Amino acid sequence: MHHDLLHNSAYSKTSSANPPSHHVPQNAPCFVSDIFAMLREALGTDGDLRNNSLAQFAVCGVSDIPSDSLFLELAKETSRDQTHGPDVLHPTGVLMSAEEETGVLTLTFDLPQSPLPLLNPVLLLAFEHPLRGPNMDVTFTSQLLDPNTQTVCISAETQYIPLTGKASEGNVHQKWKISAETKSPDMKQTLKEILIGEESGSNISMYPLLLFSRGTETRSPASHGSFLCELRRFLADVLPRPDSPPISLDSLHSLPPLTIGPSSSESLLAGLMNSSAPTVFSFSGGPSMFQVHRGELALPPALLEELSQRLEQMATHTMEAMKEEEGADRATRSLDRLHSLCVFPKAEPAAGERQYRAFLLLKALQTVARSYEVQRALRATRADHDRPPRSNVCSLRSLTVSLERYLVGPNTAAINNCHGACAFPMLNGNNHAVLLNSHIEGGNVGERAPCCVPVAYEGLEVVDLNEHGTYLTIKPDMVAKECGCR
């Protein structure tokens, strides 16, 4: 008996009420870009896969990867080309069937025509999250694989299953038919849930992608989408992640939005470049627009030179600061890639797109620098054992909250808060607070005592990228700067 599931070009599952989609997840606009980043990070300095990447890519062991492995070669090409990744074909249809008696699964991927020859093709079965399941060895077999039979080792850390294929010429409409099986009887149902999913619906969704090398073909310039995805990963790596529930920015009062583009005034852009307010980058146009978003600036020469100098200073400052942080190697490589997408050519004027990226990166690095200053101050306070314990006097304390929305990053905001007592002599108290405190100390305990509260704020800058352009919105009175007794 066969159990068949047919996915058409819209990736709809006809026999399930709650189907797992096999299209790239729409709520993850950086899904493919993140895969390329994982491929770059998988390689060590010796050109081999890092040990901590073997389980992630379902590799059984270093000895199982020959030096001429297509997957290893594709990873090396991705690592060499820091601003691009391999070319990608998305299957237009997926047919899946399960042989109930033997437990053998058959996957048929309907690939679109490609105008380019498929050099070093690797069929990547990708998952949005690590599988978190039991360990199992799985054998895939097909005449289109090279070698025809390939064994992978799935574990709790596995997120990608690469299957190397045979090269083919372009303009070939192909169906890749692959069988998959595990020898362990106890694991057959688990494998079925991973690759096909249950009829009642599965919380595991597999996304097949065919990655291949373009060879000597000329590549197009890196897109804004790849820059924004790299910026998103960088900010996620270097900024703190609080455990608090996310808060929506939509409920906050905002000043009227300002357009960031070629028509923006010199005074506006100069003010933003010199602003110390923290910045978050939001993408409210929806994930489908993420990869096609475009932006440009047309800065006058003097302001362009200032942007270039400030970006170089902030990049150098951030690189130095990251050396003090744990596990900063990946963030350093990410900043290198971002910088390469923004650096201005010396022999000709910088293109509007590069000016735009440089401006966004400068604002991001200013926010990172601010965060590092807060973290260093906290570490210094904890490390200074000679200091007497801080008295419970009204003072400014660090507070970081989680943010909700389609945020490129950061997904947090350091808004600070005020804590401590307002007993005499009180901190930064006004006349009302002083008189109120004296009144209460005279025995009138029924009144509210003076409270430690923020008395000065600065705004949060939200750079909103959508299908209509780029806009700056100021959320006023968002970050506490000074405390007082009121």
Side-chain angles (χ1 to χ4, degrees):
M1 178 186 300
H2 280 81
H3 177 94
D4 290 338
L5 303 176
L6 179 64
H7 298 260
N8 61 20
S9 59
Y11 296 91
S12 61
K13 180 175 171 184
T14 59
S15 58
S16 171
N18 187 20
S21 169
H22 288 267
H23 191 47
V24 169
Q26 288 300 298
N27 64 342
C30 293
F31 186 73
V32 174
S33 179
D34 287 344
I35 292 174
F36 297 162
M38 291 295 186
L39 281 172
R40 294 186 187 102
E41 293 302 320
L43 286 181
T45 54
D46 57 359
D48 292 329
L49 286 181
R50 302 176 192 268
N51 287 333
N52 59 1
S53 297
L54 299 180
Q56 186 179 36
F57 286 92
V59 177
C60 298
V62 177
S63 60
D64 297 302
I65 307 178
S67 58
D68 59 350
S69 162
L70 291 184
F71 170 62
L72 190 58
E73 183 56 40
L74 199 65
K76 289 179 179 178
E77 180 183 327
T78 307
S79 184
R80 286 191 298 266
D81 188 348
Q82 291 289 305
T83 57
H84 296 83
D87 284 274
V88 180
L89 283 180
H90 299 269
T92 56
V94 182
L95 175 66
M96 303 184 173
S97 63
E99 178 61 53
E100 299 292 351
E101 288 78 11
T102 64
V104 175
L105 309 178
T106 301
L107 315 176
T108 304
F109 303 98
D110 194 3
L111 297 173
Q113 290 186 353
S114 169
L116 302 171
L118 303 184
L119 304 177
N120 299 346
V122 173
L123 180 65
L124 191 72
L125 309 182
F127 303 86
E128 196 167 357
H129 306 287
L131 294 176
R132 307 296 184 204
N135 296 347
M136 74 174 107
D137 294 355
V138 180
T139 300
F140 291 87
T141 305
S142 173
Q143 292 299 312
L144 288 172
L145 296 180
D146 186 15
N148 295 153
T149 299
Q150 299 176 25
T151 300
V152 301
C153 294
I154 295 176
S155 67
E157 292 80 27
T158 298
Q159 191 171 357
Y160 310 105
I161 301 175
L163 302 171
T164 57
K166 294 179 179 177
S168 66
E169 297 298 324
N171 295 308
V172 177
H173 190 77
Q174 294 189 17
K175 288 183 183 293
W176 283 42
K177 188 174 183 179
I178 301 173
S179 66
E181 63 179 317
T182 179
K183 298 301 182 185
S184 173
D186 297 337
M187 293 291 103
K188 290 181 179 179
Q189 180 62 29
T190 302
L191 179 61
K192 182 179 175 182
E193 291 173 1
I194 290 174
L195 297 182
I196 292 182
E198 289 287 2
E199 280 194 305
S200 59
S202 171
N203 60 0
I204 302 174
S205 292
M206 182 262 289
Y207 306 96
L209 304 168
L210 186 71
L211 311 181
F212 63 98
S213 171
R214 187 183 283 254
T216 58
E217 293 282 340
T218 303
R219 289 185 177 274
S220 57
S223 68
H224 271 323
S226 61
F227 170 79
L228 293 175
C229 287
E230 191 68 60
L231 183 62
R232 182 174 180 263
R233 286 189 293 271
F234 172 72
L235 292 172
D237 280 344
V238 299
L239 293 175
R241 304 179 189 179
D243 296 327
S244 58
I247 301 169
S248 173
L249 291 175
D250 293 333
S251 60
L252 302 178
H253 170 65
S254 303
L255 300 180
L258 303 169
T259 301
I260 303 298
S263 61
S264 297
S265 70
E266 183 176 348
S267 60
L268 169 64
L269 295 174
L272 292 174
M273 286 165 50
N274 290 286
S275 169
S276 63
T279 305
V280 298
F281 301 90
S282 169
F283 197 86
S284 62
S288 62
M289 293 296 297
F290 196 88
Q291 293 294 337
V292 297
H293 174 81
R294 294 179 61 83
E296 292 187 356
L297 290 178
L299 300 176
L303 196 56
L304 185 60
E305 179 63 24
E306 182 181 351
L307 173 60
S308 177
Q309 291 179 1
R310 289 183 65 85
L311 180 58
E312 292 299 323
Q313 292 168 356
M314 286 304 305
T316 301
H317 175 74
T318 305
M319 287 285 193
E320 289 298 318
M322 286 195 298
K323 291 179 181 178
E324 303 175 13
E325 304 297 319
E326 258 186 65
D329 289 348
R330 186 169 77 168
T332 299
R333 290 190 290 270
S334 181
L335 181 52
D336 279 336
R337 286 191 288 272
L338 286 168
H339 188 259
S340 69
L341 292 169
C342 300
V343 66
F344 298 158
K346 296 183 180 300
E348 57 190 42
E353 290 186 358
R354 280 191 176 264
Q355 295 183 31
Y356 176 79
R357 292 175 195 164
F359 173 78
L360 294 187
L361 183 56
L362 173 63
K363 297 302 299 177
L365 293 182
Q366 288 171 339
T367 300
V368 170
R370 182 189 179 108
S371 174
Y372 277 176
E373 288 173 4
V374 171
Q375 297 304 313
R376 278 197 298 268
L378 290 174
R379 285 197 296 266
T381 300
R382 288 193 294 264
D384 192 354
H385 300 294
D386 296 330
R387 289 179 60 182
R390 180 170 57 179
S391 60
N392 189 31
V393 175
C394 177
S395 61
L396 188 68
R397 313 285 175 89
S398 173
L399 174 63
T400 301
V401 297
S402 298
L403 301 178
E404 186 179 59
R405 279 183 91 189
Y406 286 125
L407 292 179
V408 177
N411 292 318
T412 61
I415 64 171
N416 304 327
N417 202 6
C418 297
H419 286 273
C422 282
F424 188 83
M426 62 181 59
L427 172 75
N428 197 12
N430 60 11
N431 287 337
H432 179 270
V434 172
L435 290 174
L436 177 60
N437 185 67
S438 299
H439 179 69
I440 293 172
E441 288 184 347
N444 300 287
V445 295
E447 296 294 338
R448 174 194 67 83
C451 298
C452 178
V453 296
V455 295
Y457 299 88
E458 67 179 334
L460 176 74
E461 296 174 355
V462 179
V463 177
D464 186 18
L465 309 100
N466 60 43
E467 62 269 32
H468 302 297
T470 303
Y471 301 89
L472 175 81
T473 302
I474 306 287
K475 306 285 185 181
D477 300 337
M478 176 112 172
V479 180
K481 289 181 61 180
E482 186 181 344
C483 298
C485 293
R486 296 292 185 267

